[in-house]
Amino acid sequence: MKKLIKNGTIVSVTNGTFVGDILIENGKISQVAKHLECEDAEIIDATGKYVLPGFIDAHSHIGLYEEAVGSMQDGNEMTDPVTPDVRAIDAFNPYDIAIKHALNGGFTTVMIVPGSANVIGGQGAILKFKSNIVDYCILKAPAGLKMATGENPKRVYGEMKKMPSTRLGIAAVMRNYFMKVQDYMEKKRRAIEKDGVFLDRDPKMEVGELVLKGEIPARIHAHRAQDIATAVRIAKEFNFKLVIEHGTEAYKIADYLAENNVPVVVGPFGFRTKIETKDLTYDNVRILNEKGVLTAIMVDHPVHHLEFANMHAALAMKYGAKKEDILKMLTINPAKILGIDDKVGSIEPGKDADVVIWSDDPFLPHARVEKTFIEGNETHWWGENE
């Protein structure tokens, strides 16, 4: 059925803000204009409301680190520093009540990733909050290989008295893995060339092959500037696409990131919990934008709840970030980082009708989500209806 959203303050992200209408047909945004008519459409009155694209979280552990389950978490397979074969979708629980709250916060799309205990942590996936069956939520899987530098793998494996227990060891584990992937790819090539078939598949290597072929990026957890530089160095050595996760000290080397076209999913902001975050500052957001680094904001759910990501983002304006930049960092920028900006991230004809109606400007603390549409369907969390 067609839907016509009328008289809302449309925050399109890419084509300005204006009072107007949005026509939704077959799950897509069909038309956007200051005035539209459609006799057979369901009319949704958005007078006095703000209408935005669904927010996008480019780095989340929602559904993996669930609310109210204590230590029963599924985010890290802490038995081996190299676990590229594990997949976030196999642990994702659509009945995590945090998903209800994320919808209340205007989020419609997330990139879920394993935690950062392992140097090679596993496969992330891009999901929409549109079903209680994870397979129906998937936009892309795998969508990235989660990796980690710094204190987390040092702590986990140092306590086990095994490698890696230092930054030296972490970089070595990364290089060893990708060298093995290179050898595996050559072995496969020769086998297919000789016999027409390769019968020695290794799931750990297959994922690395996707990275080295440029089909998915490496998503590398790195807080300190030195760790970010190490991630860039290794990405250049093996010629793979890289996204920096967290980037707490990215502002210190913003020119270097811009020079190498490395995007950053920055955050969370809050209490400085460990040595890697002692130089945390909201100035990071402003500086990265000013230097031309493609940047998205995350709250590292469940470190901070996804429901309040708009408020965490708004705080960056206190430190000089521009409102229009902050908005992009919750919408079109994460869409670009995830490679889905042809589908989501702005209100434009032809894109998926992932549209959220807010009671007021979403950067105001009293603003509430009143209606959420994903691919044109009004969406409510399914957990309360079971």
Side-chain angles (χ1 to χ4, degrees):
M1 182 175 179
K2 298 176 183 177
K3 295 181 175 69
L4 182 59
I5 300 174
K6 294 284 293 181
N7 301 319
T9 298
I10 298 172
V11 184
S12 71
V13 178
T14 52
N15 292 303
T17 298
F18 55 92
V19 175
D21 304 341
I22 302 170
L23 180 63
I24 296 172
E25 298 184 77
N26 300 317
K28 299 286 186 180
I29 297 169
S30 175
Q31 298 180 61
V32 183
K34 291 185 177 181
H35 181 76
L36 293 170
E37 297 289 346
C38 185
E39 291 184 0
D40 57 344
E42 174 190 353
I43 304 299
I44 300 162
D45 184 11
T47 303
K49 315 295 184 184
Y50 279 66
V51 186
L52 281 84
F55 289 159
I56 301 166
D57 183 10
H59 173 114
S60 183
H61 308 294
I62 197 167
L64 305 178
Y65 289 90
E66 302 171 43
E67 287 192 33
V69 300
S71 62
M72 297 172 60
Q73 304 292 357
D74 288 311
N76 279 308
E77 179 58 43
M78 293 186 289
T79 54
D80 186 327
V82 180
T83 57
D85 46 334
V86 304
R87 307 189 306 169
I89 58 171
D90 294 328
F92 179 76
N93 181 8
Y95 290 93
D96 180 2
I97 195 171
I99 294 169
K100 172 188 175 182
H101 301 314
L103 287 165
N104 289 341
F107 282 86
T108 55
T109 303
V110 293
M111 168 81 168
I112 56 168
V113 291
S116 54
N118 296 347
V119 178
I120 315 290
Q123 302 164 47
I126 304 168
L127 310 179
K128 289 190 181 185
F129 294 137
K130 64 179 184 176
S131 175
N132 64 332
I133 305 298
V134 64
D135 302 74
Y136 298 156
C137 298
I138 295 170
L139 273 182
K140 185 176 182 180
L145 178 59
K146 177 66 184 302
M147 297 166 58
T149 64
E151 300 301 322
N152 285 21
K154 276 178 59 179
R155 181 186 69 253
V156 171
Y157 292 98
E159 289 175 358
M160 296 181 190
K161 305 299 182 185
K162 61 187 292 187
M163 188 174 181
S165 63
T166 64
R167 283 178 166 80
L168 305 171
I170 290 169
V173 169
M174 287 186 183
R175 288 191 177 93
N176 288 342
Y177 171 66
F178 284 112
M179 288 175 70
K180 288 178 181 177
V181 173
Q182 287 176 328
D183 291 348
Y184 177 82
M185 292 170 65
E186 179 63 16
K187 179 180 179 181
K188 180 189 287 190
R189 186 193 67 78
R190 292 184 183 186
I192 293 173
E193 188 177 273
K194 179 181 177 182
D195 303 319
V197 66
F198 180 64
L199 299 174
D200 193 18
R201 290 183 298 166
D202 182 336
K204 290 180 182 286
M205 299 294 107
E206 290 285 323
V207 180
E209 183 174 355
L210 294 178
V211 175
L212 294 191
K213 285 183 173 180
E215 296 180 25
I216 61 173
R219 305 289 302 260
I220 301 186
H221 165 116
H223 284 281
R224 284 168 61 161
Q226 69 182 103
D227 293 328
I228 297 169
T230 294
V232 174
R233 183 182 315 116
I234 292 174
K236 292 169 76 171
E237 287 177 23
F238 291 92
N239 193 30
F240 59 72
K241 297 176 184 176
L242 168 65
V243 178
I244 293 295
E245 314 289 306
H246 303 297
T248 299
E249 294 184 3
Y251 64 94
K252 296 182 178 181
I253 54 171
D255 287 329
Y256 184 64
L257 291 169
E259 174 189 330
N260 287 282
N261 296 312
V262 176
V264 180
V265 184
V266 67
F269 299 96
F271 187 65
R272 295 164 179 82
T273 56
K274 52 186 177 180
I275 191 170
E276 291 177 307
T277 58
K278 69 180 180 65
D279 289 343
L280 182 150
T281 173
Y282 271 104
D283 286 316
N284 202 6
V285 175
R286 173 184 56 78
I287 293 168
L288 290 172
N289 273 299
E290 289 176 351
K291 296 293 186 179
V293 177
L294 180 60
T295 308
I297 284 180
M298 59 128 136
V299 293
D300 203 20
H301 182 98
V303 174
H304 298 300
H305 284 229
L306 201 51
E307 181 176 10
F308 305 115
N310 57 325
M311 291 294 94
H312 285 273
L315 287 171
M317 287 188 276
K318 180 179 178 180
Y319 294 81
K322 297 177 181 178
K323 183 177 180 179
E324 56 267 31
D325 290 336
I326 298 299
L327 178 62
K328 289 178 180 178
M329 293 171 74
L330 291 170
T331 54
I332 195 65
N333 286 9
K336 289 177 179 178
I337 289 170
L338 298 177
I340 55 173
D341 54 303
D342 60 328
K343 296 180 174 66
V344 293
S346 60
I347 294 179
E348 297 180 69
K351 288 196 172 184
D352 293 351
D354 296 359
V355 178
V356 178
I357 300 177
W358 291 77
S359 64
D360 209 326
D361 183 331
F363 291 135
L364 296 175
H366 62 267
R368 302 183 319 278
V369 168
E370 296 193 349
K371 289 182 181 292
T372 299
F373 300 91
I374 298 180
E375 296 174 6
N377 297 313
E378 188 170 356
T379 301
H380 303 277
W381 186 61
W382 40 85
E384 292 174 324
N385 299 322
E386 297 298 314

